[in-house]
Amino acid sequence: MIEIRNLNKKFDGFQAVSDLNLRVKTGSVYGLFGTNGAGKTTVLKHIAGILRADSGAIEINGESVYENCSIKGRLAFIPDDLYFFSACSLQESALFYRSVYRGWNQDLYEEMTALFKIDLRRKLSKFSKGMQKQAAFILAISTSPDYLILDEPIDGLDPLIRKLVWKRILDGVAERKMTVLSSSHNLREMENICDSMGLMSEGRMMIERDLNELKSDIQKVQVAFRNEAAPGENRYSGLEVMHRESRGSIDLLIVRNPKNAVESSIRAHDPILLDFLPLSLEEIFIYEFGGDENAAKDTLF
C-alpha cells in the first residue's frame, strides 16, 4: 500500500503541496487528476523518493520511501520529462537496468521489444518523444516492479501503442498484484482503468474516492410526469438534486443519492418516464464542483 499523510512542500516560498493525504491499495490502479500546476508531479516525485517532504509522511507498506534502497528497488517511475543516458541504446540501457533491479525479467524484455518493434541499437536520444516513451515503458515493466508510478503515461503515444501499454500494465496488476499510480488529464481513458481516484487543485486534494463508490452515489435521471406539479409541490423533495434542467416535459436530473432511494422517491409521484442514464467521470467531477461547468473544467482540464 502507498500512503501519504499530511504532505507539505514548498519551492522558493511557493506552497506546491498543502496537507495532502493519499492512499493507494495494493494491487489497484489509482488515477491522480488535476490541471498543470495542481501539484501532481510533485506528489509523484515524493512517492518515487526523488523529493524530500518539508513535513508529512510518504510510506510504502509502512516504510519511508526517501533514501530507502529496498523500496526503490521494487518501484519504477516514468516521469513526463524523460531522461536517458545520451549515448546509450535501448539494449545498453537494458544492461544497466538488469544490473540494478533484482526483478529484471529478460524474457519479458525480449517479448516487449518484439511487440513494440523498436530498434535496440539506435541511440535513445535520437528517438522521437513517442518512441522514447515506449522505451521507458519497456525498461520499467521489464523490472517487474511491485509499484509503478506514471506521470502522464500516454502522452505522445498513438492509439494502438496506448492499448498495448495499458494491457501490459493491467496484466501486471492481475498477475502480480502490481500497484499503479498514474497522473493524467485524460478522464475518459482513465475511467475504464482506475479502481480509485484523487482530484488535486492548487496543491490540495479535493476529492479522493473509490470509483465504483463515487458512481453509485450520484445518479443521472430522466423524468416525466402526466401532469404539471401542483402549486408548491416539489416532486423531488428528499433528494439532493445537484443539477436540474428541463427539456420540454422531461426533466434531466443529477442527484447525489443511492439509486434505490432516487427510484422509490420519484416513483411515489407516479412518473410516466423514469430512466437512469450513464454518468461519466467527467460529469461527476463537474457537478461535484457545484454544477458550474466552466469553472469545473477550468479546474479539471
Side-chain angles (χ1 to χ4, degrees):
M1 182 176 68
I2 299 172
E3 187 171 15
I4 293 178
R5 297 189 302 274
N6 303 317
L7 173 63
N8 285 277
K9 185 65 178 181
K10 282 185 178 180
F11 296 104
D12 297 326
F14 172 71
Q15 189 74 39
V17 178
S18 301
D19 296 320
L20 185 132
N21 294 282
L22 178 149
R23 189 178 185 189
V24 185
K25 297 177 183 177
T26 299
S28 69
V29 180
Y30 185 108
L32 186 61
F33 303 105
T35 56
N36 290 330
K40 304 187 302 298
T41 296
T42 300
V43 170
L44 298 186
K45 286 184 175 181
H46 278 86
I47 295 171
I50 296 170
L51 295 178
R52 187 200 294 266
D54 293 340
S55 63
I58 303 98
E59 296 178 348
I60 293 180
N61 281 357
E63 294 186 46
S64 177
V65 178
Y66 192 75
E67 294 186 339
N68 187 330
C69 293
S70 64
I71 289 293
K72 289 184 178 183
R74 300 164 56 198
L75 180 151
F77 174 47
I78 302 180
D80 184 37
D81 186 13
L82 298 171
Y83 173 81
F84 298 100
F85 296 124
S86 59
C88 284
S89 65
L90 179 59
Q91 189 171 25
E92 291 165 334
S93 296
L95 290 173
F96 172 74
Y97 273 64
R98 185 176 182 175
S99 70
V100 172
Y101 286 93
R102 294 180 180 178
W104 180 263
N105 187 325
Q106 185 66 21
D107 291 339
L108 181 58
Y109 166 75
E110 292 174 3
E111 179 185 338
M112 291 186 68
T113 53
L115 183 66
F116 283 78
K117 299 178 181 177
I118 198 164
D119 187 342
L120 303 182
R121 295 179 175 82
R122 186 181 177 190
K123 289 183 180 180
L124 291 172
S125 60
K126 302 296 184 181
F127 281 11
S128 67
K129 182 178 179 181
M131 292 295 288
Q132 287 184 344
K133 185 81 69 159
Q134 292 177 46
F137 267 106
I138 291 170
L139 293 170
I141 295 297
S142 297
T143 67
S144 304
D146 293 326
Y147 305 94
L148 182 61
I149 312 301
L150 308 170
D151 195 359
E152 300 294 344
I154 57 175
D155 279 6
L157 300 180
D158 64 54
L160 177 60
I161 296 299
R162 288 151 81 121
K163 287 184 178 181
L164 291 174
V165 164
W166 281 120
K167 182 181 184 303
R168 285 295 167 183
I169 291 172
L170 295 177
D171 284 347
V173 174
E175 295 168 5
R176 301 187 290 101
K177 292 191 175 180
M178 181 172 68
T179 304
V180 181
L181 172 56
S182 175
S183 74
S184 181
H185 291 95
N186 195 325
L187 294 175
R188 292 180 183 88
E189 186 162 56
M190 295 295 291
E191 181 174 6
N192 298 320
I193 295 167
C194 294
D195 301 301
S196 53
M197 49 67 57
L199 173 65
M200 289 186 65
S201 179
E202 297 180 347
R204 297 182 181 275
M205 185 67 78
M206 308 299 292
I207 305 170
E208 188 181 38
R209 298 283 295 279
D210 176 90
L211 203 56
N212 289 332
E213 179 185 324
L214 183 66
K215 287 187 173 183
S216 68
D217 286 347
I218 301 178
Q219 318 301 326
K220 184 178 182 180
V221 192
Q222 279 189 142
V223 186
F225 299 94
R226 289 182 176 83
N227 305 306
E228 293 185 5
E233 180 186 10
N234 181 3
R235 288 163 166 163
Y236 307 124
S237 63
L239 298 177
E240 187 177 351
V241 179
M242 304 166 68
H243 175 77
R244 176 181 175 182
E245 61 182 90
S246 296
R247 299 174 179 176
S249 61
I250 298 175
D251 285 343
L252 179 66
L253 308 175
I254 308 294
V255 186
R256 187 191 281 114
N257 294 99
K259 183 177 180 180
N260 59 351
V262 174
E263 185 168 11
S264 61
S265 178
I266 294 176
R267 287 203 183 281
H269 297 277
D270 193 26
I272 58 172
L273 172 68
L274 174 56
D275 281 341
F276 287 85
L277 305 176
L279 187 63
S280 70
L281 186 58
E282 180 177 324
E283 288 177 303
I284 291 173
F285 283 166
I286 287 170
Y287 295 114
E288 281 281 8
F289 271 84
D292 184 341
E293 185 167 345
N294 291 329
K297 284 187 174 179
D298 286 345
T299 303
L300 295 170
F301 316 113

